[in-house]
Amino acid sequence: MTPTQQGNRTVTIGFLYPDHAAEDDYPYAEKLLGDTAKLAVEHVYGTDLHAVAELLDLGSPSRLAEGARRLLTHDPAALVWACTSGSFVYGWDGAREQIDALSTAANGLPASSTSFAFVHAAEALGLRRVAVAASYPRDVATLFADFLAHGGVDVVAMSTADIATAAEVGRLRPDDVVELIVSRDRPDTDALLVPDTAMRTLALIDPLEQRLGKPVLTANQVTVWEGLRLVGVPPPVPGLGTLFRRKGT
């Protein structure tokens, strides 16, 4: 029996995803995972503007509690707030309080968020010096760098695309996503981090890593990994990058 199976039943992991943009990354991942886990997605609705006040509202306790109630109908074993900016914008302590409240709303189930997923994934891979390719405006991206620093990850280079909304990010063509990421690499870094769950990236991770010669961590990738981490060590999974190839991460 694998760590993510309960008896003969494949475990379900619940994801709260903001609005609509790149949520099809989750069924894509589920196919690659096979019988390892079922990924259930419910949505949290609010403005999709990449601005601090709007992001604080998007990740508010009332919105996440409402989403948690919907996810409970899927009988999940753990929940993840699948939003980077809607979690790191609260700061380290605030983001911790956010997932504690999410866990409480879900009757005590384990919970996390994409922001903590990045820190945990970097720790699992032993990453210390990273570059960030952010779609956000600079003031929002800077809060992500601060969050990573609090988790022991040094952002030595950060670039921003200054895209105003998640919907615009979700409409990027694959070639545009690749260019946005590759053009922002720094050769002296351990990895490249891409922190927006609105960006469709899962099918691009392996080609990106081959091109750059280093791990590429994207928001939807680490979010799925974090959900698996909450319920057991994820086994190697082809097609989802170094993070899913390293046994024991």
Side-chain angles (χ1 to χ4, degrees), residues 24-36:
D24 49 340
D25 264 356
Y26 293 85
Y28 178 89
E30 187 176 79
K31 289 181 180 178
L32 294 179
L33 291 168
D35 294 333
T36 301

Side-chain angles (χ1 to χ4, degrees), residues 84 114 118 131-136 144 169 177 180-182 191-201 205 208 212 216-222:
T84 328
T114 305
F118 270 109
V132 168
S135 58
Y136 318 124
F144 180 56
V169 176
V177 172
L180 187 152
I181 294 171
V182 169
L192 187 59
L193 276 55
V194 188
D196 194 343
T197 58
M199 191 179 295
R200 196 171 285 103
T201 59
I205 294 171
L208 284 166
L212 296 176
V216 174
L217 299 182
T218 75
N220 288 326
Q221 174 211 32
V222 300

Side-chain angles (χ1 to χ4, degrees), residues 76-163:
L79 281 73
V80 186
W81 169 219
C83 184
T84 328
S85 55
S87 48
F88 69 68
V89 74
Y90 279 83
W92 186 272
D93 293 338
R96 175 62 61 189
E97 293 172 0
Q98 183 186 57
I99 62 172
D100 286 346
L102 178 59
S103 174
T104 298
N107 301 326
L109 290 175
S112 189
S113 67
T114 305
S115 294
F116 285 112
F118 270 109
V119 172
H120 296 153
E123 181 181 9
L125 293 178
L127 307 177
R128 291 294 177 265
R129 291 168 49 85
V130 304
V132 168
S135 58
Y136 318 124
R138 179 158 290 274
D139 63 330
V140 174
T142 298
L143 296 177
F144 180 56
D146 293 344
F147 191 93
L148 292 175
H150 199 289
V153 183
D154 183 17
V155 177
V156 299
M158 183 181 72
S159 60
T160 61
D162 201 29
I163 300 176

